[in-house]
Amino acid sequence: MATSSSIFLLYFLLPFFSTATTLYRSHLITHQEPSTPTTFFEVTKPIKLPRTKSCSQLILEHDFGYTYGKTPILANYTPPLNCPKFSKIVLEWTATCKGRQFDRIFGVWVSGVEILRSCTAEPTKNGIFWTVKKDVTRYSSLFIKNQTFAVYLGNVVDSTYTGVYHVKLLVHFYNEVKNFDFGADLIVPISRNVDLNDGLWFEIENSTDVKSKDFKIPRNVYRAVLEVYVSFHENDEFWYANPVNEYVSLNNLSVPGNGAFREVVVSLDEMVVGVVWPFTVIYTGGANPLFWRPISGIGSFDLPSYDIEITPLLGKILDGSSHKISFRVTDALNVWYVDANLHLWLDGESMKTEGKLLEYSCSTLSFSLLTNFTGFDGSFITNASRSITMTGMVKSSYGTITTKSSQSLSYSNYMVMGNKGNLQIVDQIIEFNDTVYAMMPSSSVYSLESFKKYLFNWYSDNIDQGNQSYVSVTNVTLGLEDKRVKSSEYGSSVSSVKNLQNARGYMIVKGHLVVQGLGSTQQVYKYNDDSCCYSRNISSSDYLILHDKVIDSCNQRTWSHWPLKIGKKRSLPG
Ligand SMILES: *[C@@H]1O[C@H](CO)[C@@H](O)[C@H](O)[C@H]1NC(C)=O
Ligand SMILES: *[C@@H]1O[C@H](CO)[C@@H](O)[C@H](O)[C@H]1NC(C)=O
Ligand SMILES: *[C@@H]1O[C@H](CO)[C@@H](O)[C@H](O)[C@H]1NC(C)=O
Ligand SMILES: *[C@@H]1O[C@H](CO)[C@@H](O)[C@H](O)[C@H]1NC(C)=O
Ligand SMILES: *[C@@H]1O[C@H](CO)[C@@H](O)[C@H](O)[C@H]1NC(C)=O
Ligand SMILES: *[C@@H]1O[C@H](CO)[C@@H](O)[C@H](O)[C@H]1NC(C)=O
Ligand SMILES: *[C@@H]1O[C@H](CO)[C@@H](O)[C@H](O)[C@H]1NC(C)=O
Ligand SMILES: *[C@@H]1O[C@H](CO)[C@@H](O)[C@H](O)[C@H]1NC(C)=O
Ligand SMILES: *[C@@H]1O[C@H](CO)[C@@H](O)[C@H](O)[C@H]1NC(C)=O
């Protein structure tokens, strides 16, 4: 589950009282859950779709009651007979729930390949509804064959936690797009096998815990991308707000203390191939659960995955033998869920390609921690940076391609603790740049650059009421920027997402229960590319949408020159 026992983890056991005095707002609020079912949603750009849908398939329908510690729900998939041609695939998760329930993490896998990591919305007594739609076209090669779907959502139902998640999982197939991006020819799962009582993710419990998987690839691969899924839970659900316990004795607040920096390190046969400094997703019960009703936190319904271009390393794994991918998390506390998908592009005209690593450099982590503490109060300044660069060539029937892939990351976290440990301010910025340059046999260069910035700002003050209850005031700013520049001999294109949420509110907490509270959230989402822009400016307070403005000029379709595709023109699958 997404929640655990830290001080920030709370959920609503009692209905709201209507007699609240607000701490900082002048208008009157009635603390009632909505009397009718509510739709929750995450703000994001709608998926650009062709005009016609070829068909839809219901993959599974299941009521997730007491599913914690049980085998994932499995469903057989066969390619749709009634729509032999498709060029876009959309996964749709729809769910309803009524009663009282924690936020639960869940995953959807297709024969071990993870295609969605998500968090459930927390229900109300009159019920909620939500839908997650994800473009899964990059996983097309899976959908043209028989597969087994697996969904793990570890829910617990008893007399207190009454919410059962009623779920439908569908796949929609669309045709018509001409120059579509089918994705890799083959996707190798780097996840756990399904015969267990848990998700297929690996669980990483501490800083020395390493989880790995052996795999083999065909001998005619010419491109490889490792897609990594991560989520953080229990003592590390708010890793970015964890102080360092050796400097500050916060034991009676039971705040986990390994510091606020985390790095997911991915290795191939003991060689570090890339790292993930993850976006600070806040699950639907995190900070103040009222922030996320009905507007969910950035990434909470569709957690980001992180691509690491490992084409330069192909020379090391094209030998037909077994190799190992492993994961660890620097300074991890229990628990991180990590797995990956290895996307492979195959040479259609040759049984064998050859590769060679030409250059590899992985800087050691540059890390600094400054502290200034007196008793419970003080500050931490934690900074880190790292860069990894590798260059390699691959010789295939299409000629020799030299690929240079780099990651460059920086991290800065300023944390203040005050009021004897009850006040916490966190200001964190991560910059996460990835670049890939591919020199083609014709000497033209394809490039893909991604510049990401993750902002997190948190203010939280707990004021003891002296009767086992306290008032908690929390403000959170959550921001994600991602600019992508693709270029090739045909030109270049730029797309960018800027997504910013500001949430403000308070709660009165007794034990671990919120007995009263208010949450308001404001969000501005902007997407731009060469042909269109989409923006949404929305705000909500206490379940109500206060304003919502959408500007959408994204009706036209655009063609992309990336990912690098060579060789024969691919016809539509099916
Ligand atoms: C795919 O599954 C269907 C339905 O179970 C079965 O009839 C068919 O033989 C399978 N195809 C392959 C290639 O295994
Ligand atoms: C770290 O976690 C692993 C896996 O649960 C466990 O075997 C190991 O003892 C733990 N190490 C420490 C230092 O707690
Ligand atoms: C923590 O516990 C100690 C001893 O039990 C107590 O003196 C102190 O006031 C507590 N601190 C806080 C912040 O509650
Ligand atoms: C150290 O903490 C004190 C009191 O909180 C503050 O006045 C001072 O500016 C801090 N110094 C640094 C270097 O952050
Ligand atoms: C940490 O990084 C921040 C932001 O880049 C910078 O302002 C600050 O000077 C750095 N502090 C240290 C001690 O390196
Ligand atoms: C990421 O790229 C941007 C834009 O080029 C640059 O300003 C920033 O310094 C880069 N950050 C890192 C950590 O490389
Ligand atoms: C706790 O005390 C505060 C004032 O001291 C009061 O307003 C509040 O209603 C009390 N809360 C509970 C849950 O008893
Ligand atoms: C928290 O948000 C409230 C409401 O917008 C604001 O009045 C207050 O100043 C904020 N506090 C901090 C420390 O940002
Ligand atoms: C979003 O809308 C609010 C309310 O209309 C407005 O005050 C704010 O300036 C808008 N923000 C942006 C970035 O457009």
Side-chain angles (χ1 to χ4, degrees):
M1 61 179 162
T3 56
S4 77
S5 58
S6 119
I7 54 166
F8 309 115
L9 301 173
L10 308 151
Y11 87 113
F12 293 82
L13 185 60
L14 303 178
F16 294 149
F17 305 128
S18 55
T19 52
T21 51
T22 60
L23 292 183
Y24 53 82
R25 296 225 166 219
S26 53
H27 56 273
L28 275 176
I29 299 113
T30 53
H31 291 283
Q32 300 283 351
E33 288 190 340
S35 55
T36 51
T38 316
T39 299
F40 289 0
F41 57 93
E42 185 184 333
V43 171
T44 184
K45 174 174 68 79
I47 301 167
K48 264 191 227 176
L49 290 173
R51 281 190 301 272
T52 57
K53 188 184 330 189
S54 2
C55 61
S56 294
Q57 218 181 91
L58 178 66
I59 301 292
L60 65 83
E61 191 165 2
H62 190 79
D63 297 335
F64 289 85
Y66 206 120
T67 45
Y68 185 76
K70 307 253 170 74
T71 306
I73 304 307
L74 304 178
N76 287 330
Y77 167 84
T78 49
L81 284 172
N82 52 337
C83 59
K85 285 186 190 296
F86 49 82
S87 52
K88 193 156 203 78
I89 311 175
V90 174
L91 181 75
E92 180 182 352
W93 167 280
T94 63
T96 62
C97 190
K98 203 181 217 184
R100 208 180 279 139
Q101 195 49 265
F102 278 114
D103 46 354
R104 307 289 182 184
I105 195 77
F106 68 90
V108 177
W109 293 264
V110 180
S111 301
V113 172
E114 181 156 3
I115 61 169
L116 175 68
R117 178 84 57 99
S118 182
C119 171
T120 60
E122 291 194 348
T124 63
K125 64 176 184 296
N126 292 308
I128 59 157
F129 169 84
W130 85 99
T131 294
V132 183
K133 283 189 181 165
K134 178 169 179 178
D135 185 340
V136 292
T137 312
R138 74 179 300 195
Y139 307 103
S140 295
S141 61
L142 299 171
F143 287 91
I144 58 176
K145 293 195 187 119
N146 285 359
Q147 306 285 358
T148 306
F149 268 75
V151 179
Y152 182 79
L153 187 169
N155 195 19
V156 174
V157 174
D158 59 21
S159 59
T160 310
Y161 313 124
T162 55
V164 171
Y165 289 105
H166 306 284
V167 173
K168 267 191 203 174
L169 189 65
L170 297 119
V171 182
H172 305 291
F173 298 88
Y174 300 83
N175 59 18
E176 234 195 43
V177 182
K178 286 189 192 87
N179 189 9
F180 72 101
D181 180 7
F182 175 87
D185 299 297
L186 177 69
I187 308 174
V188 177
I190 311 293
S191 60
R192 293 203 295 180
N193 297 332
V194 82
D195 57 337
L196 35 82
N197 304 321
D198 206 339
L200 279 67
W201 42 57
F202 295 102
E203 296 191 13
I204 296 178
E205 299 182 358
N206 56 50
S207 54
T208 53
D209 199 1
V210 179
K211 293 285 155 63
S212 58
K213 170 116 178 192
D214 292 332
F215 70 98
K216 266 187 201 171
I217 64 167
R219 305 194 72 164
N220 63 339
V221 175
Y222 71 86
R223 184 177 180 219
V225 172
L226 191 66
E227 178 193 20
V228 185
Y229 278 89
V230 310
S231 60
F232 25 82
H233 307 283
E234 299 185 32
N235 287 332
D236 257 355
E237 180 171 351
F238 304 97
W239 50 271
Y240 38 83
N242 286 352
V244 186
N245 270 358
E246 31 180 297
Y247 295 98
V248 47
S249 165
L250 289 164
N251 293 335
N252 34 4
L253 294 176
S254 55
V255 176
N258 248 6
F261 176 75
R262 298 291 180 277
E263 173 178 59
V264 180
V265 181
V266 184
S267 302
L268 170 66
D269 298 336
E270 321 303 331
M271 185 180 202
V272 172
V273 297
V275 294
V276 175
W277 293 12
F279 175 66
T280 50
V281 177
I282 300 180
Y283 308 121
T284 58
N288 175 343
L290 275 177
F291 291 161
W292 320 120
R293 304 168 175 217
I295 304 174
S296 205
I298 297 172
S300 59
F301 284 172
D302 182 5
L303 271 76
S305 62
Y306 304 85
D307 284 354
I308 302 172
E309 177 84 36
I310 62 165
T311 304
L313 292 166
L314 274 176
K316 303 216 155 260
I317 55 176
L318 280 169
D319 56 3
S321 337
S322 177
H323 294 273
K324 188 163 76 180
I325 282 177
S326 51
F327 309 103
R328 62 184 171 83
V329 182
T330 305
D331 288 336
L333 293 175
N334 202 12
V335 61
W336 286 65
Y337 295 160
V338 182
D339 63 19
N341 304 320
L342 183 54
H343 295 252
L344 301 172
W345 283 259
L346 307 178
D347 186 337
E349 277 147 35
S350 158
M351 297 304 287
K352 217 170 160 209
T353 54
E354 276 170 54
K356 190 166 186 225
L357 178 63
L358 301 173
E359 197 200 324
Y360 169 84
S361 100
C362 173
S363 72
T364 52
L365 178 71
S366 141
F367 181 86
S368 70
L369 174 66
L370 281 183
T371 65
N372 173 14
F373 261 87
T374 318
F376 293 114
D377 299 344
S379 63
F380 296 105
I381 299 173
T382 315
N383 283 6
S385 64
R386 158 100 85 182
S387 65
I388 299 173
T389 300
M390 47 207 186
T391 307
M393 61 119 195
V394 178
K395 205 165 128 191
S396 68
S397 67
Y398 314 124
T400 298
I401 300 172
T402 303
T403 309
K404 178 177 178 182
S405 136
S406 319
Q407 288 191 315
S408 169
L409 309 95
S410 73
Y411 163 101
S412 166
N413 181 299
Y414 175 57
M415 187 188 303
V416 176
M417 315 234 18
N419 288 353
K420 298 200 168 67
N422 284 305
L423 168 83
Q424 190 184 35
I425 296 167
V426 178
D427 213 337
Q428 177 175 294
I429 297 184
I430 291 175
E431 280 184 7
F432 190 159
N433 295 349
D434 295 283
T435 54
V436 182
Y437 300 98
M439 197 172 53
M440 307 303 287
S442 65
S443 291
S444 68
V445 175
Y446 278 61
S447 70
L448 172 60
E449 300 168 296
S450 158
F451 307 101
K452 296 181 280 289
K453 201 183 266 188
Y454 305 149
L455 308 172
F456 176 83
N457 185 267
W458 161 290
Y459 168 92
S460 171
D461 198 4
N462 297 326
I463 303 136
D464 194 1
Q465 302 268 88
N467 49 6
Q468 278 93 51
S469 70
Y470 63 93
V471 179
S472 174
V473 177
T474 305
N475 292 355
V476 173
T477 300
L478 198 56
L480 182 149
E481 293 177 14
D482 192 347
K483 179 176 161 194
R484 284 165 197 246
V485 185
K486 299 168 185 176
S487 66
S488 71
E489 58 195 305
Y490 307 112
S492 67
S493 69
V494 180
S495 69
S496 90
V497 175
K498 282 191 181 172
N499 197 356
L500 190 70
Q501 279 182 322
N502 278 299
R504 307 273 172 264
Y506 80 95
M507 305 174 281
I508 296 178
V509 181
K510 190 158 190 170
H512 275 257
L513 311 174
V514 177
V515 292
Q516 196 175 302
L518 170 71
S520 305
T521 299
Q522 208 204 358
Q523 182 167 9
V524 176
Y525 177 99
K526 281 187 178 155
Y527 171 85
N528 284 290
D529 64 27
D530 301 328
S531 68
C532 80
C533 67
Y534 174 88
S535 76
R536 188 165 184 183
N537 179 346
I538 185 168
S539 72
S540 71
S541 184
D542 210 22
Y543 295 96
L544 283 177
I545 299 292
L546 302 181
H547 79 95
D548 186 2
K549 190 170 176 199
V550 177
I551 299 169
D552 185 358
S553 75
C554 294
N555 306 315
Q556 307 115 306
R557 278 164 265 137
T558 49
W559 314 138
S560 79
H561 306 306
W562 192 274
L564 173 59
K565 255 192 307 244
I566 54 181
K568 279 185 297 195
K569 269 214 172 104
R570 206 192 299 275
S571 56
L572 295 179

